[in-house]
Amino acid sequence: MCTKTEKMAHVVESRMRNAMSSEMKYFSATTDMWSGATREAFISLTIHYLTEEFIQRNFTLEVSLVRGRHTGQNIQNILMETFMKWGLFTEKLTVMARDNGSNIVAACNMWGIHHIGCIGHSLHLVVNPFLQKKKEEEDSNGEENDDNYDIGVDNDVVSFNDDESEDLLSDIDFVCNVWKTVSDIRKIAVYIKNSTMAKEKLQLFEAAARTGRSDVATNDANSPLLTLVLDVATRWNSAYDMLTKMRRHKDSITSFLNFLKTATGKSEFGRKKLPTLSEMQWASMEGLCILLKLFYELTKVLSGEKYSTLVVAFPLLRMVKSILSNRNMFIGDSDNVHMKKQINVFREKYEEEDFYQQTVQNLDACREVLLQSFTSRFRGLSYDIMWIGYLDPRQKDMLHLKDDKRTQARQYFIQQVLNLIKDSKQPEVLRLSEGSDSDSENDLDMMSMFASSKRQKVSHVQHDERDIENEALRCAENEVQSYLLASNGVGRKTDIFAWWNKSKASFPNVAALARKWLSCPATSVASERVFSSCGLVQTAKRSRLLGKNIRNQVMIQKNLSSLNISMADVVAEW
């Protein structure tokens, strides 16, 4: 007997199958793995495609329990079974965005599908050396709590220890200094976040700073407590959020740390030892935030689901590399307007300080390390996929590529259009007369008499095939050229899906490629968000939920908006 959840999941699944069978021509996918509250492993599969009207669809197909070892073969089998269950064919799969784990990479390689690593994860690994948390720091955090007012350190506190991180960086002094600054900030944030008394006192200093008063009055019981942010291992931008939140409340935090050293502070909080941040450390943190903001903004853009992300990934990656390559960044010499403005504010704030030159040198060294790590992580990007940038009419000039690479990308683009033309318009093949079926010797003699004539016909056929090939190439080049000319008036804020829906009849083959590639995600964020929903379903108090029930609940919740239906519609149907 089916439960209500199973019946509703069946309705949603039926609607999804109908939509996919009638709307989907090509699709992209994401996959990732996750361990829940019970330490059971799950693997997700999401698909993304564009309808004929260029309406984007994002569906969560599965959240499957993974039994046995997490080998590449086992993962491949699970994904293949999911494809079979949903009637999906790898021939229609444009690309699979996956985690960077070696087992998932091996699964995709053995399966023989086109796959890319999650760009968001790679960006996180670029900045990882500056954010790593040492084991001894983890242990010390466990001793930070005071029995009177601390509630314990959250499990969300980040522990960045990735196998791919550069161990050699630990020997570089300025990286160690950055580590220490981030570590000190984290210790302060952990303590304040987990101490109600500390948060209340910090709130008083914050109010005093806003009103310009030097005294600390009684806190208003109705005012919300000031809360700080901690970095989280699975949340890529959380370190930047933590640093910027601390920097925003610098004066209040400094006043609080100084208060702890006073007799009154020791009386209220005991002899609590927290790091004291020097002005140079605050300046270093502010400069580091300028660098990290590049990755913060890029990750945010590439994590979207309502627009095309893979086609914008490559020019944005090029932009970040160009900014990081600027050796004069921290003296205000930058072509990027937003970056130049931030650097000028930083310089005006600290230029008169004795430590300014040393801080700038350290930050420039950090920039160089980030550049090297960035170049290493993205060295494997293949130019045979760069051509898809042409499918976005807003960036059809492809200015992020050098001239030779732009020419190469355009040739790839024309070749893709040519392949579509050849596949959709099969050339007529001239059929040759094979002669009669007579067994007489006269017939054999007759065939030999016409041998030379037959060779002439074959040469004509080959000549016609070349003509057809050349004509197809001319058609491809003309369509591409017409499309690029029509794209001249497209603005930066244009909705490219709406533009393509209006223009698809004028450029049918380019539109077919746009429909195929513009749905491709640059990251596996879709699967990450599925697991966020799983975490809300499988809590400590609901740890006995079966895997199929977790799957059904998440599937219902994640797909209602894509199907444009409400829960009431689902209930009414079953």
Side-chain angles (χ1 to χ4, degrees):
M1 183 177 178
C2 293
T3 63
K4 292 181 179 180
T5 304
E6 288 174 330
K7 290 178 181 178
M8 289 189 289
H10 179 73
V11 171
V12 172
E13 182 176 333
S14 178
R15 293 267 193 130
M16 290 165 59
R17 289 182 182 276
N18 291 338
M20 290 161 58
S21 63
S22 61
E23 298 174 341
M24 188 174 72
K25 186 175 183 181
Y26 308 103
F27 69 95
S28 298
T30 75
T31 187
D32 201 353
M33 294 187 69
W34 170 79
S35 295
T38 60
R39 310 310 300 167
E40 291 180 308
F42 293 84
I43 188 169
S44 65
L45 181 69
T46 70
I47 66 164
H48 313 267
Y49 66 89
L50 293 172
T51 68
E52 190 174 358
E53 294 75 27
F54 281 84
I55 298 172
Q56 191 170 23
R57 300 282 191 234
N58 304 303
F59 288 135
T60 299
L61 296 192
E62 290 295 338
V63 182
S64 305
L65 196 61
V66 180
R67 302 289 188 186
R69 296 182 62 194
H70 301 170
T71 62
Q73 187 64 61
N74 193 18
I75 292 172
Q76 179 194 356
N77 293 339
I78 294 172
L79 292 175
M80 289 177 64
E81 289 173 5
T82 303
F83 267 52
M84 291 178 61
K85 175 182 176 180
W86 286 89
L88 301 176
F89 299 96
T90 54
E91 293 80 6
K92 298 295 183 181
L93 174 65
T94 306
V95 68
M96 173 87 77
R98 48 151 179 82
D99 185 16
N100 291 322
S102 59
N103 50 0
I104 293 186
V105 174
C108 293
N109 286 335
M110 289 187 292
W111 200 3
I113 61 173
H114 190 192
H115 57 99
I116 60 171
C118 175
I119 294 179
H121 185 219
S122 296
L123 289 171
H124 172 66
L125 294 177
V126 170
V127 302
N128 190 38
F130 298 101
L131 308 173
Q132 282 184 338
K133 184 179 176 188
K134 300 288 184 83
K135 179 64 178 174
E136 55 268 24
E137 182 188 344
E138 264 184 62
D139 296 338
S140 67
N141 278 342
E143 300 173 0
E144 292 281 337
N145 303 328
D146 191 292
D147 294 338
N148 293 328
Y149 39 78
D150 284 346
I151 59 175
V153 177
D154 287 357
N155 291 328
D156 283 344
V157 177
V158 70
S159 177
F160 292 124
N161 289 305
D162 193 275
D163 293 337
E164 300 180 51
S165 60
E166 303 289 347
D167 295 333
L168 293 177
L169 290 175
S170 61
D171 297 328
I172 304 177
D173 289 341
F174 61 83
V175 174
C176 293
N177 291 335
V178 172
W179 272 341
K180 184 179 186 308
T181 299
V182 175
S183 174
D184 288 348
I185 290 169
R186 184 181 292 119
K187 288 177 182 178
I188 296 169
V190 166
Y191 176 74
I192 294 175
K193 183 177 184 296
N194 293 297
S195 168
T196 303
M197 283 180 62
K199 281 188 285 190
E200 290 175 349
K201 187 63 67 175
L202 184 63
Q203 185 77 14
L204 296 178
F205 283 113
E206 181 69 15
R210 284 199 301 266
T211 58
R213 293 165 52 191
S214 59
D215 63 313
V216 179
T218 304
N219 189 30
D220 183 358
N222 296 321
S223 62
L225 289 179
L226 187 154
T227 57
L228 299 179
V229 178
L230 297 182
D231 42 356
V232 182
T234 56
R235 200 166 298 147
W236 299 325
N237 285 329
S238 59
Y240 174 80
D241 290 332
M242 177 185 72
L243 295 177
T244 52
K245 190 70 177 284
M246 290 286 287
R247 182 170 58 88
R248 194 177 301 126
H249 301 290
K250 171 191 171 184
D251 293 339
S252 303
I253 292 170
T254 302
S255 298
F256 173 73
L257 294 176
N258 291 333
F259 174 76
L260 291 181
K261 299 176 183 178
T262 65
T264 306
K266 292 177 181 178
S267 174
E268 290 186 29
F269 290 90
R271 297 185 178 275
K272 191 64 187 177
K273 294 182 179 180
L274 287 178
T276 300
L277 299 177
S278 66
E279 281 297 310
M280 184 174 180
Q281 283 182 298
W282 281 109
S284 297
M285 180 180 68
E286 191 164 336
L288 182 61
C289 285
I290 294 174
L291 291 170
L292 294 182
K293 189 174 182 180
L294 287 170
F295 299 88
Y296 174 84
E297 296 293 347
L298 180 54
T299 303
K300 246 174 78 172
V301 171
L302 298 184
S303 298
E305 289 188 357
K306 295 183 179 180
Y307 50 88
S308 182
T309 56
L310 187 59
V311 292
V312 301
F314 302 123
L316 291 177
L317 288 171
R318 289 276 176 178
M319 181 195 71
V320 169
K321 183 179 180 182
S322 175
I323 292 174
L324 291 176
S325 299
N326 182 9
R327 296 179 180 273
N328 298 319
M329 175 192 296
F330 281 98
I331 63 174
D333 184 11
S334 176
D335 295 331
N336 186 281
V337 177
H338 299 291
M339 180 65 65
K340 190 171 184 177
K341 182 179 179 181
Q342 294 178 74
I343 296 295
N344 287 338
V345 171
F346 175 80
R347 185 174 58 186
E348 291 173 5
K349 187 173 182 179
Y350 295 105
E351 194 172 20
E352 301 301 324
E353 301 290 346
D354 295 336
F355 55 78
Y356 176 72
Q357 291 299 329
Q358 183 61 50
T359 301
V360 168
Q361 291 178 16
N362 289 342
L363 290 173
D364 188 65
C366 291
R367 175 202 59 79
E368 186 64 32
V369 171
L370 284 173
L371 175 62
Q372 293 176 11
S373 181
F374 182 90
T375 303
S376 175
R377 293 285 174 193
F378 294 100
R379 183 183 293 119
L381 283 179
S382 176
Y383 281 95
D384 63 0
I385 199 176
M386 295 291 187
W387 67 269
I388 68 173
Y390 277 112
L391 299 175
D392 184 347
R394 299 168 303 183
Q395 56 170 316
K396 51 88 180 178
D397 293 326
M398 301 287 276
L399 297 178
H400 59 284
L401 295 180
K402 295 180 180 179
D403 291 343
D404 58 333
K405 297 302 181 182
R406 191 182 307 124
T407 301
Q408 184 179 347
R410 179 162 176 163
Q411 291 303 316
Y412 272 113
F413 182 25
I414 293 173
Q415 184 60 48
Q416 293 295 322
V417 176
L418 176 61
N419 292 342
L420 279 182
I421 292 175
K422 291 165 66 176
D423 290 343
S424 59
K425 298 179 180 179
Q426 295 295 328
E428 294 182 359
V429 179
L430 296 178
R431 294 183 177 275
L432 302 178
S433 172
E434 297 295 332
S436 66
D437 293 333
S438 173
D439 292 333
S440 65
E441 292 181 1
N442 292 334
D443 288 335
L444 294 175
D445 292 339
M446 189 73 71
M447 291 296 292
S448 63
M449 289 172 60
F450 286 101
S452 60
S453 175
K454 204 170 192 181
R455 282 193 293 272
Q456 291 178 357
K457 289 184 178 181
V458 171
S459 67
H460 285 310
V461 170
Q462 292 173 345
H463 179 70
D464 291 341
E465 288 177 346
R466 286 196 298 272
D467 287 344
I468 293 171
E469 180 79 19
N470 291 335
E471 180 61 28
L473 179 58
R474 281 193 293 271
C475 289
E477 291 174 339
N478 289 339
E479 184 172 337
V480 168
Q481 183 63 26
S482 299
Y483 158 68
L484 295 178
L485 288 174
S487 304
N488 283 332
V490 177
R492 186 171 58 87
K493 296 184 178 181
T494 300
D495 182 345
I496 60 172
F497 293 154
W499 188 91
W500 267 116
N501 188 39
K502 293 179 181 179
S503 307
K504 60 188 177 185
S506 302
F507 320 106
N509 294 295
V510 180
L513 291 174
R515 185 180 174 189
K516 179 178 182 179
W517 283 97
L518 291 183
S519 67
C520 297
T523 68
S524 59
V525 165
S527 285
E528 297 281 356
R529 288 176 176 144
V530 169
F531 293 141
S532 294
S533 298
C534 289
L536 297 176
V537 172
Q538 189 191 49
T539 62
K541 293 185 178 180
R542 306 180 73 195
S543 59
R544 296 184 67 182
L545 273 176
L546 298 177
K548 65 176 183 178
N549 292 332
I550 296 173
R551 179 257 186 195
N552 289 337
Q553 292 186 41
V554 171
M555 186 177 178
I556 294 169
Q557 184 264 330
K558 295 296 291 184
N559 292 311
L560 289 180
S561 59
S562 294
L563 290 170
N564 295 319
I565 59 176
S566 64
M567 187 66 75
D569 297 327
V570 176
V571 173
E573 188 168 334
W574 69 263

